[in-house]
Structures are given as C-alpha cells and as structure tokens.
C-alpha cells in the first residue's frame, strides 16, 4: 500500500513538473531574442564580444527543451498544451494572437534546433575568431534560432508566417555575411528571391485556409478539417499552395537551386541552415498541417512525387561535385526530399524521424567540412587528400557522419531511412491502410533505393578524396582547436545512438510520442527490406572505394560523357532561370528606369550591402503588416 502511495505521489510530482515546464515553453524562443538585444547594444563591451551571451541564452533554451522532451516521454507523450493571448482584434469575432502549441512535434523540433544552434555557436568561437563582424554574427545567429523556435511553437498561421519570413531574412543575412565579395552577396540575393518565389503561393494558401475556416488558429483549422467542415476542393487548393512555400524553404524541385549557392556563407551557418533551421521549416509545415494534406490524396501525391524526383536529381548532382560543401548541400536537398516523400505516402512519423536523425549527422558533416576548410584553406577535394594523418579527430567524426548518412546499421541514418523505405513499400504493396496511392508508394520505394545507393557512393567518394591517399594541397594542415572538435564528437555520439529512439516495434519509441497527424502506430521491422537497403548501401560504398581508394589523376565519372557534362552544368537549370526569367525582368526594369538619374539610384540600391537590403526588407514587411491589420 505504501509503495502504491509513493508511486502515486511520484507520478503526481512528475506531472506537476511537466506542467510547469510545458506552461513556460514560450521562454525557449524568447531567450534567443533577449540575447539579440543584449548583444546588439552591449556585445562589444563583453570580453567575448557578445558570443557568451548568445551561448548562455541558447544553453538555457536547450536545457528547457530537453526537460520538456524528457518529461513528456516519462508521461507517455502528454497532452497538447495550448496557450494564447490576443494581440489585437480583426473585426468583431476575429483577431490575431500570440500563442504556443506544445505537442510531440514541437518538443522534438525544440531539441533539434537548440542543440544544433548551441553546438554551432560554440564551434564558431574558433571558426569565426577575428572576424570583422564577429558580434553581429552572433546576433544574427540568435535571431535565426529564435525565429525558427517561434515558427515551431506557433499556434496560429500568422505567427508561423512571422517566423517563416524571419528565418528567410536571417538566412539572407548570414549567407551574405561576407557581402564585400560579390559571389557571396549574389548567393544571398539568389536564396532570398528563390525562397520568396515559393512564399507567394504559401501566403495565398494561408489566406485560403483563413477564408474557409474563419480563423488562423492551427488547432481550430485541424478540428474543422477532421469534422469535414471544409470542402475537398478548398483543402486541395490550400495544401498545394502551402506546399509551394515548403518547396522554396526546403529546396525541392524546381526551387532547389538556391541551396548549393548558400555555401557562400560561413560553414557554421551552412550547418545551422542545413541541419536545424530554414530547410527543415518546409518539412515541419507539412507535418504541422498534415491533416490538411491528408484530406487531399491529390496533394499528398504531389508531395510524394516531387520528393521522389528531387531526391534522385540531387543525389546525381552530389556525385560530380569537387567542392566538399556542395556535395553536402546536394545531399541535404536529397535527404529533405526523403522526408517529403515520407510525408507524401502518409508516413509522417517516419519523415520527422529522418529529420531528427539527419540533423545530427548532417550538422556533423558540415562542421567537419568546416574543420577541413579551416585547415587547408580550400573547399575543393582535389586540393585535399591524406588528411586523416593530420586531422584524426576530424577524420573519425566525419567518417561516422558519412556512414550514418549512407544508412549503415546501427548508426542513426539507417533506422530513419529504412523506416521511410519500409513504409513506402508497404503503401505500394497495400499491406497497411494508407491515404497514399499504391503506385506512388512503389515509385517512392524504387527511387529511394536507387538514391540510397547513390548516397553511399558519393559519401564514399568524398571520404576517399578528402582523407585518403597523399595530401595534394599547399602548406601543412593541422587539427582544429577543441572548440571545433568538441562539437564534432558530440554530434558523432548522437549520430551513433539517436536512431535507437525509433527502434521498430518499440511502443514507447519515437513515433508513439511525436504522433504526426495523430498517428501513433509504431511500424514493425521487415527483415528482407532491411537486408536489401543494407546491401544497396554497402554496394555504393564499395563502388566508391573501388574507384577512389587510390585517387586517380582523372575522375572516373568523366567516362559518363554527355551525362557527366549535364550533371556538372546542374541540368542547365541555372542558365534557364537566368536567361529566361532573371535577365528579361532586369532588362525591362532597367529600360523602365531609363534615365541616368534612375540608373544612379539603381546602382545605389544594388550596392551589395546585405545589411542595407535587410533593413529595407524589414521596413517593407512592417508596412505591409500594418496595412493588412488596419485595412
């Protein structure tokens, strides 16, 4: 009897603690924003030039995130926690508010964003040391982190939209951090314009949902969808339009072209963008509004097919890159497509599970690439080689990340990628109830297997060209300082163990407490499919080793002839966009200005100063928001 009472009191205390931390989850996105104010106004007076402020704030947000995740897990998932306050009214019955929606999806995204952001900020102590805009860099990192956390916790579409736009602005600022060099400012502008192209249908989709549901509140919209209050045509239109924004942010075809050029930013920024913020926003959006997509088989099929096409397209491009960061960039596009394809076949939990595992090994690979670049002062693998002798910590951690990405058990990437492939196969074979098309499921599975082979191949190629053989660069490389190698080992550890959170059949595992779209079914393992995926991955690694173990003077892929040329030129999509869209518009604008004075103004506006662009952009967004709310 005493034991029962003690157990009851312990459970009650745990529930109280969980409720306290869940009710104050708004502090998690608030703290990075507070840090921004301190860094901007007082950062240069601190010994660490403001870096310690950002790291301290993110550390507290990380700790709160971990506590919330653990208490939710101990409580078996826990209820959805909703809090909101009305910001200002829109008419008699409508209004805009600030609020939070804390559920399993929010909890896991909190941990992903804060962990990667914290490690990136610690890593940047060494990587960005001596940078002329060091204090501003840390302020921008914290705006980026806070904006993504706001997007994740938002309980209404307008608040989500604010976070959505802020992460776009921050990525623009950080990609163009070294804006004095024209390629960097060009890359920032390209990223901004390309993602804004996707944001146009996204914004329209938000208002389609608002017009139909008469609310921006996500929970109320989902309830109306589940109750059948919204027409199929409306939901299909809204889902397809919203997916347009996801295509831009998560770099899916045809708006994937900005992401490889985003490598112009500092490498820690690349890790943050590719692993935890911005590019995952599109995947999160589809998962958050999954009931809307689920109500429209047409929309789900579009998500799945675009995901399948993009994963193969990007994996082929990764094979021929010489720039190590571009290999990883195209890999990110391909892995994001895996996540999208999973959502498209109705396997929402599998898609988010891959987002979770991908965050660790992709952040590890980018930071590992940054460590290499920091040592050899070049991005090109043709100027590397033999670095395992000079950089043992970087080599070992990069190898762990590569094997995880390739999908070799028991590392993290194996569990999540295999779950996606298994769920797609089962949809195709009609062995599970699903909203997705069996034909689409079969396509996703087939393309996914081919992509898994290519992924293992291009990572094997990258490891051999970078770390094996003899050093082909100039000078003597050296291992990075502890502030850089420490985060590498933390991420390597996560890449080793994180996959076990989704162990097949574990009823208290990842899928049970994340529950995308209310789905809590935990899939069982399919041993034959597991064997196929492992064999495919090993074959890809083996081919890479066969071709690149002894680094050849001439890349063996040149034997592909015209196809290699097609890949090197990125399917000529950049040329098509530039000649067919950008230049005609630019020429017409220049002709419309038409005068020397106008041309002078245009040259002033096109200064390449990213901070000036951002100020003008922020002012424009503020004016539009004011006009919308008042009129």
């Amino acid at each position: 009897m005493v034991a029962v009472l003690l157990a009851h009191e312990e459970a009650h205390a745990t529930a109280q603690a969980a409720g306290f931390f869940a009710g104050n989850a708004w502090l998690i996105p608030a703290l990075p924003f507070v840090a921004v104010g301190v860094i901007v106004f007082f950062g240069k007076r601190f010994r660490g030039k403001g870096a310690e402020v950002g790291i301290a704030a993110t550390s507290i947000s990380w700790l709160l995130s971990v506590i919330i995740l653990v208490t939710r897990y101990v409580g078996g998932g826990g209820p959805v926690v909703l809090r909101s306050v009305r910001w200002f009214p829109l008419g008699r019955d409508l209004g805009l508010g600030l609020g939070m929606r804390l559920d399993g999806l929010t909890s896991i995204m909190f941990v992903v964003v804060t962990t990667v952001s914290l490690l990136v900020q610690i890593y940047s102590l060494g990587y960005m040391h001596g940078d002329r805009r060091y204090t501003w860099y840390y302020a921008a990192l914290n705006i980026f982190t806070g904006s993504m956390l706001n997007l994740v916790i938002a309980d209404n579409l307008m608040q989500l939209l604010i976070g959505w736009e802020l992460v776009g602005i921050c990525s623009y600022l950080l990609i163009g951090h070294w804006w004095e060099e024209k390629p960097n400012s060009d890359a920032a502008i390209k990223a901004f314009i390309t993602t804004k192209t996707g944001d146009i249908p996204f914004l329209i989709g938000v208002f389609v949902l608002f017009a139909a549901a008469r609310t921006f509140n996500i929970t109320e919209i989902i309830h109306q969808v589940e109750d059948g209050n919204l027409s199929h045509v409306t939901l299909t239109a809204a889902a397809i339009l919203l997916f347009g924004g996801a295509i831009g942010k998560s770099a899916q075809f045809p708006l994937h072209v900005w992401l490889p050029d985003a490598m112009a930013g500092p490498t820690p920024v690349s890790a943050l963008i590719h692993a935890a913020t911005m590019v995952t926003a599109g995947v999160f959006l589809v998962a958050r509004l999954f009931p809307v997509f689920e109500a429209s088989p047409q929309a789900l099929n579009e998500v799945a097919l675009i995901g399948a096409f993009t994963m193969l397209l990007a994996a082929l491009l990764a094979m021929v890159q010489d720039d190590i960061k571009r290999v990883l960039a195209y890999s990110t596009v391909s892995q994001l497509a895996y996540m999208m394809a999973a959502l498209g076949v109705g396997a929402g939990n599998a898609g988010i599970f891959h987002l979770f595992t991908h965050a660790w090994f992709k952040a590890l690979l980018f930071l590992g690439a940054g460590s290499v670049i920091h040592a050899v002062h070049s991005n090109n693998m043709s100027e590397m080689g033999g670095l395992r002798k000079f950089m043992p910590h970087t080599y070992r951690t990069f190898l762990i990340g590569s094997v995880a990405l390739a999908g070799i058990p028991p590392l993290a990437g194996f569990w999540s990628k295999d779950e996606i492939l298994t769920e797609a196969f089962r949809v195709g074979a009609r062995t599970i109830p699903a909203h997705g098309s069996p034909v689409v499921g079969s396509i996703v599975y087939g393309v996914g297997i081919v992509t898994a082979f290519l992924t293992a191949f291009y990572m094997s190629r990258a490891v051999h060209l970078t770390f094996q053989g003899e050093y082909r660069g100039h000078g003597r490389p050296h291992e990075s300082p502890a502030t850089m190698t420490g985060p590498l080992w933390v991420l390597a550890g996560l890449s080793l163990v994180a996959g076990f959170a989704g162990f097949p059949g574990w009823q208290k595992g990842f899928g049970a407490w994340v529950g995308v779209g209310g789905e809590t079914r935990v899939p069982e393992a399919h041993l034959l499919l597991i064997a196929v995926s492992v064999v495919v991955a090993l074959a890809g690694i083996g081919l890479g080793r066969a071709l690149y173990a002894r680094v050849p003077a001439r890349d063996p892929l040149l034997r592909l002839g015209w196809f290699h040329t097609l890949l090197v030129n990125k399917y000529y999509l950049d040329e098509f966009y530039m000649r067919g869209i950008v230049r005609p518009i630019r020429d017409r604008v220049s002709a419309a200005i038409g005068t020397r004075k106008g041309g002078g103004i245009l040259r002033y506006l096109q200064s390449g100063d990213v901070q000036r662009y951002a100020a003008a952009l922020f002012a424009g967004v503020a004016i539009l928001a004011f006009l919308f709310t008042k009129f």
Side-chain angles (χ1 to χ4, degrees), residues 321-345:
Q321 303 302 313
D322 186 39
D323 186 323
I324 188 171
K325 288 176 66 176
R326 282 184 176 267
V327 173
L328 300 177
Y330 282 116
S331 172
T332 299
V333 175
S334 184
Q335 298 306 305
L336 289 167
Y338 262 106
M339 302 170 204
M340 285 296 189
L343 289 161
V345 297

Side-chain angles (χ1 to χ4, degrees), residues 256 308-322 326-327 329-335 338 447 450-459 461 548 555 557 560 562-571:
H256 64 284
F309 183 73
T310 305
M311 73 170 78
L312 180 59
L313 172 141
L316 289 168
L317 292 176
M319 293 195 311
V320 300
Q321 303 302 313
D322 186 39
R326 282 184 176 267
V327 173
Y330 282 116
S331 172
T332 299
V333 175
S334 184
Q335 298 306 305
Y338 262 106
V447 174
V450 174
T451 303
F453 171 82
L454 296 175
T455 302
F457 169 73
Y458 66 67
M459 288 312 302
R461 173 179 179 265
Y548 295 98
D555 193 330
L557 293 180
L560 296 175
W562 65 269
F563 189 62
H564 181 271
T565 303
L566 181 68
L567 295 179
V568 168
N569 287 281
K570 299 171 285 189
Y571 309 109

Side-chain angles (χ1 to χ4, degrees), residues 14-85:
T14 301
Q16 281 187 321
F20 172 78
F21 286 109
N24 291 283
W26 58 270
L27 287 169
I28 294 173
L31 286 168
F33 283 119
V34 172
V36 172
V38 176
I39 293 171
V40 168
F41 290 105
F42 307 106
K44 292 186 178 180
R45 301 181 185 180
F46 289 103
R47 185 175 181 180
K49 304 300 182 183
E52 65 269 61
V53 177
I55 291 173
T58 307
S59 297
I60 299 172
S61 292
W62 171 81
L63 181 61
L64 290 172
S65 300
V66 172
I67 291 172
I68 287 172
L69 183 64
V70 171
T71 53
R72 285 186 63 84
Y73 168 74
V74 171
V80 177
V81 179
L82 302 171
R83 299 280 192 278
S84 65
V85 293

